[in-house]
Every structure is written in C-alpha cells, then in structure tokens.
Amino acid sequence: DQQVKQNSPSLSVQEGRISILNCDYTNSMFDYFLWYKKYPAEGPTFLISISSIKDKNEDGRFTVFLNKSAKHLSLHIVPSQPGDSAVYFCAARYNNNDMRFGAGTRLTVKP
Amino acid sequence: DAMVIQNPRYQVTQFGKPVTLSCSQTLNHNVMYWYQQKSSQAPKLLFHYYDKDFNNEADTPDNFQSRRPNTSFCFLDIRSPGLGDAAMYLCATSRGGNREKLFFGSGTQLSVL
C-alpha cells in the first residue's frame, strides 16, 4: 500500500533554474512531512520538513509547500546547483515512530 | 562525529544461509529502525525498536527478525534469505518525539546467490 507517491522518477534542470519535486499522499492522518536527500553510497540525510498546520516552510534555497486539501507537497530548490544532484525522498508520518517514504526522484542539475 | 554506522557495506550470502546485518549509533537515540529498499522503490519499514519495545510491521515476513541488545546496537537477522530479499537495508535512528527526523546509516547492500 503505497501511501506516499513520487510519480516522477527523474528530473533534469539547468543550473540556476528552479527545481520542483512533487509528492502526493493518500493518508489524511499524516501530520508531518519531510524531504530527504540521498547521494550515491550514502544514507538519506534530512533536508527540510513541514507540519500539517503550515502550508510553507523555507530554509535558504529550499522551500516546501503543503496543500492538504490536495494531499500534495512539493519541494522547490532555487537556484539549483550541480551539487543538488541527488535522489530526493518525500516522507510522511502520522504517529511518533512510523515514517513512510516515497520511491524518490532523481534530480540532475546540469552546469 | 556522532553517527549511525552499518556494517558491512556489502554482504553476499547464499540462498537459505542465515545472515546478520549490524547497525550501531553514537547518537544515544531511543528509536532504531530497519528499512528495506529495493531498486527504484520506496524504503519499506520492516520494524523498529523504541528503547526495548519491538514494533513489527504487519507485512514484514517472519523470515526477518531483529535484536537490540543495548541502546547502541541493533541487528537484522534474515533466517533463510531468498532471492527476493536482495536489497539495500537501511538502519535509522531518532529521538522518538513527534517531530523528530530520522538519521540514516549508509546502508548494507545484500546480495543473495
């Protein structure tokens, strides 16, 4: 039962442009959402999060938007840099210790 | 540096031969998780420990077991690996609060021959 979905397996953008990664979820009980970034041969690392009581959270070049009515969240990276090239996982949780992940989107930022 | 360490990085086992994957943490976190990730799929939660309390996911096969002898260490035992168990196994930790993020190890890539 895939409760968190990232429908785009890959995304390619030009350096300096905006990267938009999308995520959809089906469980309305989710109340906390996170994005993780994963480089090859490394474990995922936390990037940014948002609580369900908010619709936007910003941290430097990274902004996460949450649309609860659509059960959709997105990660915006602007401006994109070659070092941002990685796999990005969307995750959601609905109780203290249960976190569900999407399949990931591979972002390639071209110089 | 405080971190989550998984050993080995690559593990090869034979069909049906028991195998144990290891995870240790220096973060002193309450919760330790094991995720299974197959190629191009989402990491799938197998089980987690909150301190000594074991929480198994309903669809985790009985073939998968876990032990947490102390706060720092957690093991994943696969009693009789099948070809379908070949995957990346990720260990993660968290402090256990409602807004706590997970800290991941680098994973163990398991191959079953």
Side-chain angles (χ1 to χ4, degrees):
Chain A
D1 179 19
Q2 190 71 16
Q3 298 184 47
V4 180
K5 297 180 182 179
Q6 293 177 256
N7 292 319
S8 297
S10 64
L11 174 68
S12 181
V13 300
Q14 206 68 35
E15 180 179 7
R17 297 290 186 96
I18 185 171
S19 296
I20 300 176
L21 296 97
N22 294 302
C23 177
D24 297 293
Y25 61 94
T26 57
N27 191 337
S28 59
M29 297 296 291
F30 287 139
D31 62 359
Y32 192 55
F33 304 88
L34 308 91
W35 285 93
Y36 285 80
K37 180 166 74 171
K38 184 183 184 303
Y39 292 119
E42 296 181 11
T45 56
F46 170 76
L47 186 59
I48 193 169
S49 63
I50 188 167
S51 166
S52 60
I53 62 174
K54 296 184 176 181
D55 55 18
K56 177 183 175 181
N57 188 27
E58 189 173 353
D59 183 3
R61 295 185 297 114
F62 303 92
T63 303
V64 56
F65 295 91
L66 175 62
N67 182 335
K68 282 187 293 182
S69 61
K71 294 190 178 68
H72 177 84
L73 67 156
S74 61
L75 173 67
H76 292 210
I77 307 173
V78 56
S80 301
Q81 300 173 355
D84 296 329
S85 297
V87 177
Y88 289 79
F89 291 98
C90 171
R93 74 192 317 173
Y94 59 91
N95 60 35
N96 281 353
N97 302 307
D98 197 343
M99 189 174 292
R100 306 286 171 168
F101 285 82
T105 297
R106 181 178 300 278
L107 173 66
T108 302
V109 180
K110 297 180 179 179
Chain B
D1 290 342
M3 55 175 43
V4 182
I5 303 166
Q6 290 188 246
N7 286 307
R9 184 74 180 88
Y10 299 94
Q11 176 73 57
V12 181
T13 190
Q14 292 180 336
F15 183 93
K17 185 176 181 180
V19 65
T20 295
L21 308 183
S22 300
C23 178
S24 64
Q25 56 133 340
T26 59
L27 297 160
N28 203 32
H29 282 172
N30 298 104
V31 192
M32 295 189 76
Y33 306 79
W34 280 103
Y35 283 86
Q36 178 195 63
Q37 186 185 17
K38 296 185 178 180
S39 180
S40 301
Q41 295 184 21
K44 179 183 180 299
L45 181 62
L46 295 174
F47 26 58
H48 72 272
Y49 273 95
Y50 195 121
D51 293 328
K52 293 185 178 181
D53 293 332
F54 179 69
N55 298 271
N56 198 30
E57 290 297 300
D59 57 353
T60 297
D62 293 339
N63 196 28
F64 290 85
Q65 303 286 321
S66 186
R67 295 170 284 133
R68 189 179 185 185
N70 54 52
T71 300
S72 301
F73 286 88
C74 195
F75 300 98
L76 170 61
D77 300 308
I78 308 176
R79 292 191 295 187
S80 181
L83 298 179
D85 297 327
M88 172 69 78
Y89 290 87
L90 294 164
C91 174
T93 72
S94 80
R95 286 188 283 193
N98 199 36
R99 294 291 181 258
E100 293 296 324
K101 55 185 180 284
L102 270 58
F103 293 78
F104 283 88
S106 297
T108 294
Q109 182 68 49
L110 177 68
S111 299
V112 182
L113 303 180

